[in-house]
Amino acid sequence: MNPDQDLLGHAAARAIAYTATIDGRGVAASAPAVDGLAAFDEPLPDRPGDPTETLDLLATVGGPATVATTGPHYFGFVNGATYPVALGAAFIADAWDQNAALPVMSPAAAKLHDVAAAWLNEVLGLPTATDVAFLSGATVANATCLAAARDALLIDAGWDVQRDGLFGAPEIQVVVGERAHSTLGKSLGLIGVGRERVLVVPADDQGRMRAELLPDLDPGAGPILACAQAGEVNTGAFDPFADIADWASERAAWLHVDGAFGLWALADPTRQHLVTGLRRADSLATDAHKWLNVTYDSGIAFVQREGALRRTFASVAGYLPPEHGFEAMHHTPQSSQRARQIEVWAVLRTLGRSGVAAMVQQSSDAARVIGARLTEAGVDVLNDVDLNQVLVRHVDGPTTERLIAAVQEDGRIWCGPTQWHDETAMRVSVSSWKTTVHDAERAAAVIVELAHHL
Ligand SMILES: *Cc1c(COP(=O)(O)O)cnc(C)c1O
């Protein structure tokens, strides 16, 4: 092996050693590890140095100051772990360093795009013709879908946004649910329709849009863009898609669904009652770095209106049909891009259809166990645990804040806060493939122990 390969072997060994320790250590970075980050405060070197030493510094100083999100005991935000096959595929794909912008730049990336896209449509039960684009996360996937929606709605109204911009365009009527994810506003702002220039539909106690309160909008007053949600970030609740889709189709509205983690319920035969009508959406967004447990950053946009992504994102002659297969740079906001589809393909190929369903079921079973144990112990669970989220309040908001601080201080697990009905609650999100029902029992025992000590 030459020195370059020795260096890579060394890096791989360091990376593998990290994965071997992650399950057993405290979940949060220890205070000494965080203090140790000061070792990175070096002056910019004047001249070239030893790359092995750089990698060693990275591993020894950086590694301990990470949060153990890839282990079984992390329940914060909705942060997924990473399957070994995803990490392994990432190693190989990073070595390839392919630009996935155009098929001519990487036949391998182009082929794996097509295979991963077809498999995603199949495992989620979406029409085979659905356009699939790989992006950096759900925020950008939402924005990508919404930009395509904006342009399609306005083309139908006789206005070409790509040519003429939004000034003077017919006004789009934008409808969102009261519990839409905070980043949806960012996506709406980015596409120029405004974060707050929206009609907000009230939600029920689980955070589901109340479809009976959808406004009786007149499509004659401007095209309609409706944003629904699969998986409320605190409760995991699903909007009533069948009713929303009926409302949307009566008004020729574009229905978009943010399913950053909840969209994967489509793959679970035991959860089809939650997703009735969801497949009727014109566009859908999800993350693969959350529930599919690939590495960051990985989001996916699904657009069912043929040509809509291309109309918005083509750099040249957007009206032309694709001639040389799927050209990612003409279907996404980016031009150069890494081949995120490779890890998605690797996980789908390894799990298979039943394995994706089992991933959703395992996390949801673990969440149900946590919810049940907390309830038995007198700690309040505020949501119906139908998916992977458990929303917890102990006594009241301030006591819950003390419980969260105690959990984070303790270090055996990690959970974070949220606001629910204007008071603090604790969110327990099961998003790691490693978290089994056994780990859930342990996590619940930790929470109960700390709650009783308060
Ligand atoms: C996490 C999340 C997002 C944002 O996803 P990123 O991948 O962080 O951009 C959007 N919507 C919902 C419902 C989410 O859970």
Side-chain angles (χ1 to χ4, degrees), residues 150-308:
R150 173 200 64 194
D151 293 1
L153 288 169
L154 288 174
I155 281 284
D156 290 348
W159 187 273
D160 183 344
V161 177
Q162 290 302 318
R163 191 184 62 203
D164 298 323
L166 276 178
F167 298 113
E171 287 200 19
I172 298 177
Q173 308 182 78
V174 182
V175 177
V176 303
E178 183 188 349
R179 298 295 321 191
H181 194 262
S182 55
T183 61
L184 190 82
K186 177 152 97 172
S187 302
L188 290 168
L190 193 61
I191 68 153
V193 300
R195 295 186 184 205
E196 292 183 22
R197 205 192 121 281
V198 292
L199 294 153
V200 179
V201 183
D204 69 11
D205 64 339
Q206 295 295 309
R208 282 180 291 250
M209 192 191 286
R210 290 179 57 190
E212 75 277 14
L213 298 181
L214 278 160
D216 187 19
L217 295 179
D218 170 13
I224 301 167
L225 172 58
C227 303
Q229 183 166 256
E232 203 276 339
V233 76
N234 300 292
T235 64
F238 289 74
D239 284 345
F241 304 112
D243 292 343
I244 298 168
D246 286 346
W247 176 92
S249 61
E250 280 159 23
R251 290 164 179 80
W254 180 294
L255 175 58
H256 171 72
V257 176
D258 173 7
F261 60 96
L263 206 71
W264 296 99
L266 285 168
D268 178 0
T270 70
R271 286 191 163 69
Q272 294 304 298
H273 58 289
L274 297 174
V275 297
T276 308
L278 175 53
R279 295 182 178 93
R280 292 167 61 191
D282 298 282
S283 57
L284 311 100
T286 194
D287 268 320
H289 58 222
K290 286 180 177 166
W291 228 341
L292 201 63
N293 280 205
V294 305
T295 72
Y296 293 98
D297 45 12
S298 187
I300 309 171
F302 299 89
V303 178
Q304 308 221 24
R305 289 216 201 163
E306 202 188 336

Side-chain angles (χ1 to χ4, degrees), residues 321-406:
E323 285 177 46
H324 307 291
F326 183 87
E327 299 164 312
M329 71 171 284
H330 296 314
H331 291 79
T332 65
Q334 287 183 241
S335 296
S336 297
Q337 48 194 286
R338 73 188 187 91
R340 299 183 175 93
Q341 60 269 28
I342 293 175
E343 287 176 59
V344 171
W345 165 83
V347 172
L348 292 178
R349 188 170 189 279
T350 305
L351 295 185
R353 192 195 301 273
S354 68
V356 178
M359 172 194 77
V360 172
Q361 288 163 12
Q362 177 181 312
S363 297
S364 303
D365 288 351
R368 195 177 309 123
V369 164
I370 292 171
R373 294 295 171 271
L374 296 188
T375 304
E376 285 159 21
V379 177
D380 290 340
V381 172
L382 306 179
N383 66 319
D384 302 334
V385 185
D386 291 332
L387 205 67
N388 61 330
Q389 304 292 112
V390 191
L391 187 60
V392 179
R393 187 171 289 136
H394 186 45
V395 185
D396 55 16
T399 310
T400 306
E401 280 168 30
R402 286 166 52 218
L403 175 61
I404 295 165

